[in-house]
Amino acid sequence: MGVMRIGHINIRVLNMEEALRHYEYVVGMKVVHTDQQGNKYLKCWDEWDKYSVILTEAEEAGLVHVAYKVENDSDLDTLKKRIEDYGISTELLPSDSMPFVGRMLKFNLPSGHEMRLYAEKEQVGTDVGSLNPDPWPDDIRGAGAHWLDHCLLMCEMDPEKGVNKVEESTKFVMEVLEFKLAEQVMVGLEGNIQAATWLFRTTTPHDLAFVAGPRMGLHHFAFFLDGWHDILKAADVMGKTKTKIDVAPTRHGITRGETIYFFDPSGNRNETFAGLGYLAQPDRPLVTWTEENLWRGIFFHSGEESGSFTTAYT
Amino acid sequence: MGVMRIGHINIRVLNMEEALRHYEYVVGMKVVHTDQQGNKYLKCWDEWDKYSVILTEAEEAGLVHVAYKVENDSDLDTLKKRIEDYGISTELLPSDSMPFVGRMLKFNLPSGHEMRLYAEKEQVGTDVGSLNPDPWPDDIRGAGAHWLDHCLLMCEMDPEKGVNKVEESTKFVMEVLEFKLAEQVMVGLEGNIQAATWLFRTTTPHDLAFVAGPRMGLHHFAFFLDGWHDILKAADVMGKTKTKIDVAPTRHGITRGETIYFFDPSGNRNETFAGLGYLAQPDRPLVTWTEENLWRGIFFHSGEESGSFTTAYT
Amino acid sequence: MGVMRIGHINIRVLNMEEALRHYEYVVGMKVVHTDQQGNKYLKCWDEWDKYSVILTEAEEAGLVHVAYKVENDSDLDTLKKRIEDYGISTELLPSDSMPFVGRMLKFNLPSGHEMRLYAEKEQVGTDVGSLNPDPWPDDIRGAGAHWLDHCLLMCEMDPEKGVNKVEESTKFVMEVLEFKLAEQVMVGLEGNIQAATWLFRTTTPHDLAFVAGPRMGLHHFAFFLDGWHDILKAADVMGKTKTKIDVAPTRHGITRGETIYFFDPSGNRNETFAGLGYLAQPDRPLVTWTEENLWRGIFFHSGEESGSFTTAYT
Amino acid sequence: MGVMRIGHINIRVLNMEEALRHYEYVVGMKVVHTDQQGNKYLKCWDEWDKYSVILTEAEEAGLVHVAYKVENDSDLDTLKKRIEDYGISTELLPSDSMPFVGRMLKFNLPSGHEMRLYAEKEQVGTDVGSLNPDPWPDDIRGAGAHWLDHCLLMCEMDPEKGVNKVEESTKFVMEVLEFKLAEQVMVGLEGNIQAATWLFRTTTPHDLAFVAGPRMGLHHFAFFLDGWHDILKAADVMGKTKTKIDVAPTRHGITRGETIYFFDPSGNRNETFAGLGYLAQPDRPLVTWTEENLWRGIFFHSGEESGSFTTAYT
């Protein structure tokens, strides 16, 4: 089967204490491990693997790497060959190069972002267990994020120079990692420049997305919530904790998701993304957004650029 | 008992056809009457009186008058005396000076806005009737507004000149019309300038509100929705109809209401306001917002000025 | 003004420890006082008066008394006279006959239920305070009930004997306490027997209700929740705590309220009631439910008798 | 990849006119085709294939067949071989043996239910299209079902005779059709009898489920809704249309789904199922429900048998 879903994201934060307060009491995760370098590993209540976010203290915010989980260990060998055949070099990290994780296949996407694949991570179960489970645990905190849902990677695009890392990265993950394309934004005079893409391996609208920008960066990573009411609760939590909100509760036209964009104290953009939106399927017609409807696609209600979508990223 | 609730609002619109499209298909009202001057009278499905919004075509947008309904016809005589004793002149308009309405007591608030009181308006019943009624009718349109809920009047304030029409109007409606004060914003170095007030006669958080500004104007008038999910639907309707949104779905700190600010095609600001918020009562402690928390009070999630709250009004 | 709203309810419970667990961790109240007899006084987070539920340990469950708060102390004298003129004897209890409460006017409704009126109770403020308040506190527990909302009193009715305590009690509270009638159920061959009534003093659909039964009793008392999503959360809490549910989440046709009926461990029926429903007003057309639509009125979705509505009461 | 999702269900109804009124105005589908035998083909607004429900008038209600869509035409050959190797005979129906559908592989599950697989059905697109789509269409009717979501097949189980068609069917669809098991109910003294199973191919909690009963039958088939608020709307629609409800709005412990069980006029049980619940994944720990928690699993709120879950099926 290959890639199943996003597995974890490793990000840089400027101040660990502030970052922890954010991911624990706003997002609602729990610290499950601290390594010798002081990196903190956190887990959402509805995830069964050991962790999904790793915080690394650094001088600058941003992405260290994003990792996707594959179904079988042998998928790593198959994909290693495919990726290298595609012309991208890889490195196979041994087991325990990261805590609680089996061997990892490391490489860079055409956009330059470091991606890793792995098949094994210690399973600790969700916080409600798997025997006669309650629908949610008693000790939910903050927004009560269910799981790490997806990330949006900012890719360099400069049509004049013929550079479009969105298109290149999209082509790569489709051909090699067998992601399917759910939606795309096409811009330019002839509408033939692929400026943003949303891709899936699960049957939710996106597990990975790419958007054009002036340089490689992390636009945001997102946590799943059940629905619109949980978005209100999450926004209330952000108001109560004076969390910096980028774009208040709204709906994406693209994916139909209900959303809040907000920042961690280091300036990494987070999202709470709610609802299934629709059932992503290989045979579902590809949805295309044109340049003049771009902002309607991104923020459906206002149809206008809001917050710092195109200007803030790490 | 005196004043019961807001009864109707008469506003000026620049283009009747566009205005009707907005109030019918976005807000979800129905036209129930057209008078000889071409004014249009509209009603929400959950109102039992004949109409609550009157549209008057004009060169400039804004408020003509706002009317509140009193319980008994004799209240008009009592209140006429009280208002005049307070030093404000009144005029008693005969029955049918407005279609379907009994005699009306007309006067200007200290802020200068024209207010009218009346006891009688033709009752046509809600759209679900009063015999074994369904909770909602089959033919709901647009946002499906339940009823006209309140208005926020912009009042001149200039502390240097000692002008504060917010305070004056608040004092008047409290002392003479027996409105109760639910919440207030206090600004200035000593926090003793009453810059905005929310007042009630029903036991919802506000039936009338005043906010300081550079001149007399209409800040917005609001329609009631059940709750946060109806706010999403309303915002979706606005997205679908490309209605100009001022502030996307959020929560007010003040009143706790869930809200969207948006504009009719003439630039009159509308609001969809959802939820009871809390039970307003004469003995509920007055809620005060300080200057440094002002924007948290207005837009609780971001805690920041958004849209054109202080710059656009009619 | 007279009666403002329901102030508190004193009920009998069979086991105090179990009762506390229920009202604290399912309903979400806090114990604020224990008197020398061991009675427990509890408060909801959104109430500003000291308490709203008093638990008295006893051999049998049921109502001790229900109390409504009036606006002014002098209302007690006015109402004492009116009640006695109506032919009902009263007793004026001195201040502190109940903890933290001023003098109380005690009498029995025509149905036999003990009602009390009072004007003063120690004000402690809501849990979010009144200076720049958050919309909700951090330490919400269980269903997070906002406030005690209303009670439904079971009144003896036997048409063959010409006994109808619903009608008698309704007439009394309308004529003497100036409650307004929002809705009624009319039964019998000619539809002229008033078998249930919903009455208001606030502008929510009901602050007090009567329903016919074989004897005097307490049908239920209700706590307010914001809306339908809070009903889901409350029902989840009941599932997690194995609370005995009478009728699962549904909508009342009468009042439009979203609801769960459930029992405390002593068998007293509680309700979580959500949403404003509609704006109750003196001039709103009286809603009438006919006998053949009675169950549609009570449980709108199924339109059928569910749970133990007509068989369980205390 | 093999099986993608449920494709359509063909059911028998007693009266076509009544059935259409139900599926069109309660469920919210549209008729897209009528064949020469008078069978009616219906589609939900958010489906892109031509139809998902086929109504066949008959003397008795129940299932004719259920069909799942596979990704590639060649999957039919692969699966034909696998199914026959497993010992189940198959029949390959030519293209257009059903309107708008390519060749179909027909066989019976071990439980006896007729299942079909197909790779091709005419694509007509969702009602919002795939170019700058709105999140929902203007002409939503009734409950506004998004898509046919899953079915629950009743399988003969008689432990004394050693008959357990739940287990047999589960084993077959897992081994041959590569469904994954999300949840199971284990009963019997030793908890080793698999009495119900929930299986997925998409990453939603179930695309197919089996439950034990006295004979082969159709327990229900379900339509997807976004969330809990849509459940309220759907239940309101059922109340307004006097649709027979089996179990009012509640939550399943199993799958966490928010639900209403109701009947079409012929007695076929329908479900509106809302929410993603959780992300089903091959490596998610299998959830097991024990016999004493069975009803908590089915109806999480009450934890008790409700409606006619074990007695009504077609």
Side-chain angles (χ1 to χ4, degrees), chain B residues 99-117:
Chain B
F100 311 105
V101 176
R103 60 188 189 133
M104 304 187 87
L105 184 64
K106 172 181 166 182
F107 58 95
N108 288 341
L109 291 172
S111 57
H113 300 88
E114 181 183 327
M115 180 179 272
R116 297 184 184 185
L117 303 177

Side-chain angles (χ1 to χ4, degrees), chain B residues 22-42:
Chain B
H22 176 83
Y23 288 98
E24 290 189 284
Y25 297 100
V26 179
V27 176
M29 306 185 82
K30 284 182 189 164
V31 173
V32 293
H33 183 66
T34 308
D35 68 19
Q36 290 188 325
Q37 290 73 42
N39 296 307
K40 295 285 183 180
Y41 297 72
L42 297 101

Side-chain angles (χ1 to χ4, degrees), chain B residues 134-138 229-230 233 236-237 239-240, chain D residues 134-138 229-230 233 236-237 239-240:
Chain B
D134 280 346
W136 41 271
D138 287 343
H229 191 88
D230 304 283
K233 183 186 162 196
D236 282 349
V237 166
K240 284 157 69 87
Chain D
D134 280 345
W136 41 271
D138 288 342
H229 191 88
D230 304 283
K233 185 186 159 194
D236 282 349
V237 165
K240 284 156 70 84

Side-chain angles (χ1 to χ4, degrees), chain A residues 83-97:
Chain A
I83 295 166
E84 294 191 343
D85 287 353
Y86 193 85
I88 288 178
S89 60
T90 69
E91 184 182 356
L92 204 45
L93 307 176
S95 272
D96 296 318
S97 55

Side-chain angles (χ1 to χ4, degrees), chain A residues 128 134-138 142 229-230 232-233 236-237 239-240 242, chain C residues 128 134-138 142 229-230 232-233 236-237 239-240 242:
Chain A
V128 292
D134 280 346
W136 42 271
D138 287 342
H229 191 88
D230 304 283
L232 175 62
K233 184 186 162 196
D236 282 349
V237 166
K240 284 156 69 85
K242 300 188 171 30
Chain C
V128 292
D134 280 346
W136 42 270
D138 287 343
H229 190 87
D230 304 284
L232 175 62
K233 184 187 160 194
D236 282 349
V237 166
K240 284 156 68 86
K242 301 188 170 29

Side-chain angles (χ1 to χ4, degrees), chain A residues 166-233:
Chain A
V166 169
E167 197 172 79
E168 283 180 51
S169 295
T170 301
K171 183 167 180 288
F172 168 75
V173 302
M174 290 182 71
E175 289 190 8
V176 177
L177 305 182
E178 297 183 281
F179 278 77
K180 306 286 178 177
L181 186 59
E183 310 203 24
Q184 63 182 349
V185 171
M186 299 301 286
V187 301
L189 286 179
E190 296 169 29
N192 61 354
I193 301 171
Q194 197 179 40
T197 54
W198 288 260
L199 298 123
F200 63 97
R201 284 292 300 167
T202 70
T203 53
T204 69
H206 59 333
D207 300 305
L208 175 60
F210 300 111
V211 65
R215 66 159 170 84
M216 176 181 82
L218 172 64
H219 190 275
H220 72 262
F221 57 103
F223 297 94
F224 186 83
L225 297 181
D226 265 344
W228 181 239
H229 191 88
D230 304 283
I231 289 287
L232 175 62
K233 184 186 162 196

Side-chain angles (χ1 to χ4, degrees), chain A residues 18-37:
Chain A
E18 289 179 6
L20 284 176
R21 205 176 305 126
H22 176 84
Y23 288 98
E24 290 188 282
Y25 297 98
V26 178
V27 176
M29 305 185 82
K30 284 183 189 161
V31 174
V32 292
H33 183 66
T34 308
D35 67 20
Q36 292 189 321
Q37 290 73 44

